[in-house]
Amino acid sequence: MTSREHQPHDTVIEVGAVRIGGGFMVIAGPCSVESSDQMLCTAQGVKRSGAAVLRGGAFKPRTSPYSFQGMGEEGLRILAAAGRANGMPVVTEVMDTADIEMVAAYADIIQVGARNVQNFSLLKKLGAVDQPVLLKRGLMTKVEEFLLSAEYVMAAGNPRVILCERGIRTFETVTRNTLDLSAVCVLKEKTHLPVIVDPSHAVGLRRFVPPLALAALAVGADGIMVEVHCAPQDALCDGSQSLRPEEFARLMDQLRTMEEPMRRCWSQGPRPAAAPVE
Ligand code: PEP
Ligand code: MN
């Protein structure tokens, strides 16, 4: 069901007024929901700069059990309120099948994180939700395996899957992960599903996020998901990779500058094998 043989044209997923696929869109917000003030400040900032969807985790998959685990349902409430206040749909992660119903009550898009990309019971259950699923590639997930994970959700009844490349683990440790932009080209050829890039978790360092975000646009991704925080030095999670709102605003300007030239560039030749949008 994920393949271009099954469906040649690009899938466009509509979430309210937002279209994901067949154009470039931006998801932004903090790693985690920390408080109402933090969420409102960030939401206003990213909305002003043109982000389409607001992100924020309430259930956090942390490497250490002693790290901040997220605010749970209270975080979901804060996120949904910040989204509503700024007219933005929200995306947030579900980690446990037991929480799907609760997360689905607040989220416009449900995220499956890198660590759960092959949690097949979770994927199957997400086949039954109404919301689109944003599926992140795992740290060691091959492209074929990634597509089969998307296939699980689709085969279980939910055709609205968004794929997200977020860096893979390689021998290179100078950055948090290694952003696999080749995978974006390959995915765009193999599947009609929207493919977005998360440069924040891929690189782990704020100053390298903008160049990689621009590279994602150049390689033909359908969008990016970026971490933004009003006070990254105080963030409870991933502050060092979070852009400040003014840095995010500059990135959005750069993306807008680049969008049309890239379209012209692709019209002359080697844009990724994406079929025309119907
Ligand atoms: C996230 O996007 O909040 C996140 C935890 O990312 P990943 O699952 O890619 O590590
Ligand atoms: Mn994060």
Side-chain angles (χ1 to χ4, degrees):
M1 296 176 85
T2 61
S3 77
R4 286 232 186 244
E5 285 85 71
H6 178 76
Q7 179 190 306
H9 64 272
D10 283 351
T11 285
V12 177
I13 295 174
E14 296 190 358
V15 185
V18 176
R19 289 165 63 85
I20 305 170
F24 197 79
M25 55 79 62
V26 177
I27 302 173
C31 180
S32 313
V33 180
E34 299 168 5
S35 71
S36 187
D37 285 351
Q38 169 246 14
M39 231 23 256
L40 285 170
C41 171
T42 311
Q44 278 158 16
V46 301
K47 171 72 182 188
R48 200 180 315 124
S49 303
V53 178
L54 181 65
R55 66 152 286 151
F59 295 95
K60 296 305 301 178
R62 303 304 299 277
T63 301
S64 165
Y66 305 115
S67 302
F68 175 60
Q69 301 287 307
M71 292 180 74
E73 187 162 15
E74 175 62 10
L76 295 173
R77 247 183 248 119
I78 291 173
L79 173 69
R84 248 192 331 271
N86 291 278
M88 304 170 89
V90 299
V91 58
T92 196
E93 176 165 353
V94 68
M95 288 171 57
D96 193 321
T97 51
D99 297 327
I100 291 178
E101 211 178 315
M102 187 210 297
V103 172
Y106 298 94
D108 300 294
I109 303 171
I110 299 180
Q111 178 173 323
V112 174
R115 289 150 193 86
N116 268 319
V117 67
Q118 289 192 314
N119 181 339
F120 300 119
S121 20
L122 185 62
L123 298 176
K124 281 184 199 169
K125 289 231 162 71
L126 289 170
V129 302
D130 292 332
Q131 289 92 336
V133 172
L134 169 53
L135 181 62
K136 299 191 81 174
R137 186 183 183 186
L139 278 74
M140 47 174 281
T141 314
K142 295 168 73 172
V143 166
E144 284 305 330
E145 293 166 337
F146 190 22
L147 287 171
L148 285 167
S149 288
E151 193 77 28
Y152 262 94
V153 179
M154 297 180 82
N158 187 347
R160 302 203 293 163
V161 181
I162 304 150
L163 302 171
C164 180
E165 159 60 33
R166 48 78 74 205
I168 52 174
R169 183 167 286 181
T170 68
F171 62 85
E172 184 56 84
T173 54
V174 73
T175 51
R176 183 173 181 179
N177 291 287
T178 300
L179 181 56
D180 185 8
L181 286 175
S182 320
V184 177
C185 301
V186 176
L187 286 166
K188 288 298 297 178
E189 182 176 87
K190 285 186 177 298
T191 182
H192 53 85
L193 295 173
V195 180
I196 68 169
V197 168
D198 170 354
S200 308
H201 290 90
V203 74
L205 292 166
R206 177 182 310 125
R207 65 184 180 282
F208 298 135
V209 169
L212 291 177
L214 295 167
L217 170 61
V219 86
D222 297 298
I224 50 170
M225 178 157 78
V226 190
E227 285 185 343
V228 179
H229 198 292
C230 280
Q233 69 283 357
D234 301 325
L236 295 179
C237 184
D238 286 348
S240 56
Q241 69 192 29
S242 300
L243 299 179
R244 299 178 183 89
E246 62 273 20
E247 293 164 330
F248 177 70
R250 206 173 311 134
L251 169 59
M252 291 298 283
D253 282 342
Q254 290 172 315
L255 286 165
R256 274 187 286 267
T257 307
M258 215 172 110
E259 229 179 319
E260 186 43 40
M262 279 320 301
R263 242 195 302 275
R264 251 182 287 133
C265 181
W266 293 324
S267 72
Q268 291 165 17
R271 199 222 149 142
V277 181
E278 264 185 4

